[in-house]
Amino acid sequence: MPTTRLALPNGNRLLGALPGGEFRRLQPQLKEVNLTFGEIVYEPGATIRYVYFPSNSIVSLLSATDQKATLEVGMIGNEGMTGVSVIMGVNQSRPRALVQGTGTALRMESAALRRESVRLEYFHQLLLRYAHSLMTQMSLGLACNRFHKLEDRLARWLLMTQDRIGSDEFRMTQEFMSNMLAVRRERVNKVAGNLQKRNLIKYTRGHVTILNRPGLENGACYCYGAMKQESDAGLRNGKQ
Amino acid sequence: MPTTRLALPNGNRLLGALPGGEFRRLQPQLKEVNLTFGEIVYEPGATIRYVYFPSNSIVSLLSATDQKATLEVGMIGNEGMTGVSVIMGVNQSRPRALVQGTGTALRMESAALRRESVRLEYFHQLLLRYAHSLMTQMSLGLACNRFHKLEDRLARWLLMTQDRIGSDEFRMTQEFMSNMLAVRRERVNKVAGNLQKRNLIKYTRGHVTILNRPGLENGACYCYGAMKQESDAGLRNGKQ
DNA sequence: GCAGCTGTGTGCGATGGCGCACTGATGGCC
DNA sequence: GGCCATCAGTGCGCCATCGCACACAGCTGC
């Protein structure tokens, strides 16, 4: 039964990690907007006009090859922001950014982001650490993709989604998952069916519920833990 | 904006892209060292004491899973530097960094790098753009790994190696390539044999020669072009 | 009620990568 | 010369994945 609901702060954790002064400085430039499932935030090659700090929405970064052969290379939720390349001096998006989970986000103009990231030292460092965590998650994903079983990867992906959306049920079809994991839908059907048989999840017609999170964590490859650690590490103070 | 560029024959192109003033400022802190095949530059989790700007050496970044199941997630040669995470505020290496091609590199202390990247604006931006290009290459690699044929990927990998090592022959075994591409050596044997039959390369006992570079480029997946463009883009002035 | 769309469940033959177990060839070292 | 380590080449059975085809179930609109 869908029992646990994650008690997540109703906001973006990256912004939440800022010292009060820096956050207040940014606040006037942040506007709350809705991101709806299926919306494309950035098209490959397009100029990044806004960056988004998701609250309970999720944005997926997709490899920018063909339309049909897609693969998720990054997942962005309340722990991060879209358009990190802006702070690295690159104003065009390489990947396609697609809204995977409907919800809200705080929007900021890229130009304002560049301006403020120069001015606000902690903010700047925080964003760079986040960029690093995204990069590390990509390299983990590279290996995970190659070495681990699909069922474990799906479990990992579901957990990551739950972490970011902050709810144990969300809209999700097998078709969509097959695009994220870059496999055929039939295979998703099979492994998702297994997860359901094991009473870890249940799903019907475009709707997934996490039933047993610890069990799912147990079934997921260790990449889940590694990626989670990475994304949490980005939020901490960087003095090492 | 930078007008004067130092002529650095056989040098590191990232440093070469610096305006003269900034480079002269860095020069005393750079020490030329040899990197030899098989040497491990960073072990996963270890503190990054030095960063390296390869001249004609190559360093491979490997996914830090098991020892046996390895996979290259990044390749660093004269277009870049090792230890980019330092400029992002992270002083530990996640991946394993392994010297893939013997040669020289300019070495710098991480602490000095942090200090100077704060002081030298162009340098800072350059390094960030490079970090971005590495990140993009990872995301391209993720998709390439998943969708493209091994023979094409091997061709791409050989071209990337040649670009960085600056020579059409280099030390290289099938075993090593199998570790980079995360496949069995037997498969490398097969596809490398095909490339040899097509007179694109030749090899004997740990030694590869590129015979027909245009032909190889033709056979490689388009990811080669995309990655090359990415790594060159990092070197250019970032004002867009 | 019925049509049409979307999402899920399933089968089957072809293919390709994996694991393993070899052989052969070359070069260095004693 | 002879031994041994390293590197390359090959065969074979197994299993995962692919590509395609089709059945069915629920929801929506007319």
Side-chain angles (χ1 to χ4, degrees):
Chain A
M1 288 279 80
T3 51
T4 54
R5 190 173 179 91
L6 294 190
L8 279 182
N10 187 24
N12 179 276
R13 297 192 288 150
L14 197 58
L15 292 174
L18 284 174
E22 294 205 356
F23 180 69
R24 276 189 295 277
R25 160 91 207 188
L26 291 177
Q27 215 159 12
Q29 302 173 78
L30 295 166
K31 182 182 174 190
E32 185 164 29
V33 295
N34 287 312
L35 295 179
T36 58
F37 180 86
E39 190 179 339
I40 291 182
V41 181
Y42 308 130
E43 205 58 73
T47 298
I48 299 176
R49 178 162 176 207
Y50 298 109
V51 301
Y52 298 84
F53 298 89
S55 308
N56 57 351
S57 53
I58 306 190
V59 177
S60 290
L61 302 181
L62 303 180
S63 79
T65 57
D66 331 38
Q67 285 282 95
K68 55 177 182 172
T70 64
L71 166 62
E72 184 183 62
V73 296
M75 191 192 282
I76 296 163
N78 61 15
E79 89 297 348
M81 66 173 279
T82 70
V84 281
S85 67
V86 169
I87 60 163
M88 299 161 96
V90 177
N91 295 318
Q92 263 104 43
S93 181
R94 281 286 172 174
R96 168 172 294 115
L98 173 70
V99 178
Q100 178 207 319
T102 298
T104 59
L106 293 173
R107 191 182 79 179
M108 187 174 181
E109 295 210 5
S110 304
L113 180 77
R114 276 195 304 278
R115 204 167 51 233
E116 298 301 340
S117 74
V118 171
R119 177 138 35 179
L120 305 177
E121 179 56 21
Y122 194 96
F123 187 45
H124 190 205
Q125 288 303 317
L126 186 66
L127 294 180
L128 284 180
R129 284 201 303 280
Y130 173 65
H132 179 259
S133 87
L134 252 193
M135 186 168 167
T136 302
Q137 287 177 69
M138 280 181 191
S139 75
L140 289 170
L142 242 163
C144 181
N145 226 8
R146 177 66 192 77
F147 296 119
H148 298 150
K149 293 193 178 311
L150 179 60
E151 192 164 329
D152 300 351
R153 288 199 289 135
L154 177 59
R156 166 175 70 77
W157 189 86
L158 289 168
L159 288 167
M160 290 177 65
T161 300
Q162 191 191 5
D163 286 344
R164 283 162 180 77
I165 216 156
S167 161
D168 57 5
E169 49 182 300
F170 41 87
R171 174 176 175 178
M172 185 50 55
T173 66
Q174 297 183 352
E175 177 75 24
F176 192 91
M177 293 187 273
S178 80
N179 287 331
M180 295 300 110
L181 298 168
V183 296
R184 287 157 51 249
R185 186 192 56 76
E186 291 90 323
R187 291 197 62 208
V188 172
N189 178 271
K190 192 139 191 292
V191 295
N194 288 343
L195 294 179
Q196 186 160 243
K197 282 194 198 88
R198 291 162 63 195
N199 285 316
L200 302 177
I201 65 171
K202 73 172 188 197
Y203 57 92
T204 53
R205 297 189 65 71
H207 199 79
V208 172
T209 306
I210 309 288
L211 294 178
N212 178 351
R213 194 184 153 89
L216 209 53
E217 285 178 10
N218 204 40
C221 51
Y222 60 83
C223 301
Y224 170 66
M227 288 191 182
K228 185 164 176 54
Q229 188 183 334
E230 241 349 282
S231 73
D232 289 346
L235 295 171
R236 283 197 295 277
N237 188 314
K239 297 301 169 210
Q240 298 169 351
Chain B
M1 314 239 186
T3 49
T4 51
R5 283 207 160 65
L6 293 200
L8 288 176
N10 286 337
N12 179 276
R13 296 191 292 151
L14 198 57
L15 293 174
L18 284 174
E22 295 204 357
F23 180 71
R24 277 189 293 278
R25 161 91 207 187
L26 291 177
Q27 214 159 12
Q29 304 174 76
L30 295 166
K31 182 182 176 191
E32 185 164 29
V33 295
N34 287 313
L35 295 178
T36 58
F37 180 87
E39 190 179 338
I40 291 184
V41 182
Y42 308 131
E43 204 58 74
T47 298
I48 299 175
R49 177 160 177 207
Y50 297 110
V51 301
Y52 297 84
F53 298 89
S55 308
N56 57 352
S57 52
I58 306 189
V59 177
S60 289
L61 302 181
L62 303 180
S63 78
T65 56
D66 330 40
Q67 284 282 96
K68 54 177 185 173
T70 64
L71 166 61
E72 184 183 63
V73 297
M75 191 192 282
I76 297 164
N78 62 14
E79 89 298 347
M81 66 173 281
T82 70
V84 282
S85 67
V86 169
I87 59 163
M88 298 160 97
V90 177
N91 295 318
Q92 264 106 41
S93 181
R94 281 286 172 173
R96 167 173 293 116
L98 172 71
V99 179
Q100 178 207 320
T102 298
T104 60
L106 293 172
R107 192 182 77 178
M108 189 174 182
E109 295 210 5
S110 304
L113 179 77
R114 276 195 304 278
R115 205 166 50 231
E116 298 302 341
S117 74
V118 170
R119 177 139 33 182
L120 304 177
E121 178 56 20
Y122 195 93
F123 188 45
H124 190 205
Q125 289 302 317
L126 185 67
L127 294 180
L128 284 180
R129 284 201 304 279
Y130 174 64
H132 180 260
S133 88
L134 252 193
M135 186 168 167
T136 302
Q137 287 177 67
M138 280 181 191
S139 75
L140 288 170
L142 241 163
C144 182
N145 226 8
R146 177 65 191 78
F147 296 119
H148 298 150
K149 292 193 180 310
L150 180 59
E151 192 163 328
D152 301 351
R153 286 199 288 136
L154 177 60
R156 166 174 71 76
W157 189 87
L158 289 167
L159 289 167
M160 289 177 65
T161 301
Q162 191 191 6
D163 286 344
R164 283 162 180 76
I165 215 157
S167 160
D168 56 4
E169 50 181 300
F170 42 87
R171 174 175 176 178
M172 184 50 55
T173 66
Q174 296 183 353
E175 176 75 24
F176 192 91
M177 292 187 274
S178 80
N179 288 332
M180 295 301 110
L181 298 168
V183 295
R184 286 156 53 248
R185 186 190 56 77
E186 292 91 323
R187 292 195 61 208
V188 172
N189 178 273
K190 192 140 192 290
V191 295
N194 288 343
L195 293 180
Q196 187 161 242
K197 280 195 199 88
R198 292 160 64 192
N199 285 316
L200 302 178
I201 65 172
K202 73 171 186 203
Y203 57 92
T204 53
R205 296 190 64 70
H207 200 80
V208 172
T209 307
I210 309 287
L211 295 178
N212 178 352
R213 194 184 153 88
L216 209 52
E217 285 177 11
N218 205 39
C221 52
Y222 60 83
C223 301
Y224 170 67
M227 289 190 182
K228 185 163 176 52
Q229 188 183 333
E230 236 359 274
S231 73
D232 289 346
L235 295 170
R236 282 198 295 276
N237 188 314
K239 299 300 171 209
Q240 298 168 350

